[in-house]
Amino acid sequence: MSDHPSNASPSMSQTATQAVSPEELEAAAAAQVSTDPLADAQAELVNLKAQNADLADQYLRAQADVQNARRRADDEITKARKFAVESFADSLLPVLDSLEAGLAIPNVTIEQIREGSEATLRQLKSALERNKVAEINPVAGTKFDPHHHQAISVVPAEQEANTVVTVLQKGYLIADRVLRPALVTVTAPK
């Protein structure tokens, strides 16, 4: 009685299971999921609450990061402003030392004072150059530039109109920005 259907059924079910596609397995799993809409909604609510809590945590962390970055930037700006002149002051200290040393010498001659003053002036000019402070000292005949020169007076002259005649006081630039314009006299328009 090997032809009995009950004996053949285990081997057929094994063959049928092996022939099931992944799509069919997925459909079977979906069919086994609860068909209760309330349970589905509650499960989705729990999932959404977890996602909301995760997003709220990410938001708070991002806010904290932004606040920390802003605080660090503010601290760096404060330090930069506080110590901005440090390099400049450091380059001026040798000038100060030279002046004090010159004044400490008793019984100096006029020649020694002149030599010391010239050496100190060279130190000062060098310190200014290292810190990107440049002279504005136009030569006579240079075209008047209102961005770099300040006309103190207008004088008649044989030169072209609106040109520098004399420099009364040098001007200075710091990193291409006018610190003080040169005070000049200019020729009158004809």
Side-chain angles (χ1 to χ4, degrees), residues 75-98:
D75 289 346
E76 287 177 20
I77 289 170
T78 301
K79 286 178 185 177
R81 285 182 182 151
K82 187 175 181 180
F83 298 110
V85 297
E86 183 178 12
S87 173
F88 185 69
D90 185 48
S91 65
L92 290 179
L93 291 178
V95 177
L96 178 65
D97 294 339
S98 294

Side-chain angles (χ1 to χ4, degrees), residues 97-158:
D97 294 339
S98 294
L99 288 172
E100 288 176 344
L103 291 173
I105 299 172
N107 304 324
V108 293
T109 65
I110 297 294
E111 293 81 25
Q112 290 173 324
I113 291 174
R114 181 156 185 86
E115 287 176 20
S117 296
E118 288 172 352
T120 304
L121 181 59
R122 284 191 301 274
Q123 280 183 317
L124 181 58
K125 284 183 176 183
S126 174
L128 291 173
E129 286 173 9
R130 280 194 308 272
N131 288 282
K132 296 179 178 48
V133 177
E135 276 185 0
I136 302 173
N137 190 14
V139 295
T142 303
K143 186 76 174 160
F144 175 75
D145 180 358
H147 300 290
H148 292 118
H149 310 141
Q150 182 177 347
I152 296 300
S153 64
V154 179
V155 295
E158 296 300 317

Side-chain angles (χ1 to χ4, degrees), residues 40-59:
D40 290 345
Q42 288 175 337
E44 186 176 349
L45 179 64
V46 168
N47 185 25
L48 290 174
K49 283 184 177 181
Q51 287 178 353
N52 186 29
D54 184 45
L55 290 173
D57 182 56
Q58 289 176 13
Y59 173 77

